[in-house]
Amino acid sequence: MIKYNDNDIRNAAYFIWKNNGCPANTHDQDWLAAINQLNAMSTLKNASKKIASAKAVVAKKSATKAASLKSASLKTIVLKPASLKKSTKKTTTKKSK
């Protein structure tokens, strides 16, 4: 469990109390709700950091792969059509006398 200072819990509990319409005798309940709310916010903050870190890793891998694909696409292969592959040698025939 994360330890929070009393001032943070007090402020959160106050706003919970105000949002609930300022009911009487709910101090303990509001205090626990404030701690739960602060824990949830901390969990979300840690999760968003992990997501941001994962996105950075994916972006780096994607950039590396894109660079690799770009260099591979620069190596083009020239294919000749079948009609150009035929021999262009002229055959000569001897005339008989």
Side-chain angles (χ1 to χ4, degrees):
M1 184 175 167
I2 300 172
K3 292 186 178 183
Y4 301 102
N5 68 34
D6 285 349
N7 195 38
D8 290 339
I9 299 170
R10 186 178 301 112
N11 286 334
Y14 171 76
F15 285 107
I16 290 170
W17 176 72
K18 287 290 275 186
N19 286 335
N20 288 334
C22 306
N25 302 321
T26 59
H27 179 266
D28 293 335
Q29 185 180 8
D30 296 338
W31 190 267
L32 291 175
I35 292 171
N36 289 334
Q37 186 178 49
L38 291 171
N39 283 333
M41 289 174 52
S42 176
T43 302
L44 288 175
K45 186 176 179 181
N46 289 338
S48 88
K49 284 181 183 179
K50 287 180 182 179
I51 290 170
S53 175
K55 283 183 179 180
V57 169
V58 168
K60 186 175 181 180
K61 285 183 180 180
S62 295
T64 303
K65 189 172 183 178
S68 173
L69 291 174
K70 185 176 180 181
S71 67
S73 68
L74 294 176
K75 301 172 187 174
T76 57
I77 300 172
V78 178
L79 299 175
K80 293 183 180 179
S83 62
L84 294 177
K85 288 184 180 180
K86 292 181 182 177
S87 176
T88 56
K89 292 182 184 177
K90 291 185 180 178
T91 56
T92 55
T93 57
K94 291 186 179 181
K95 293 183 181 178
S96 51
K97 291 186 184 182

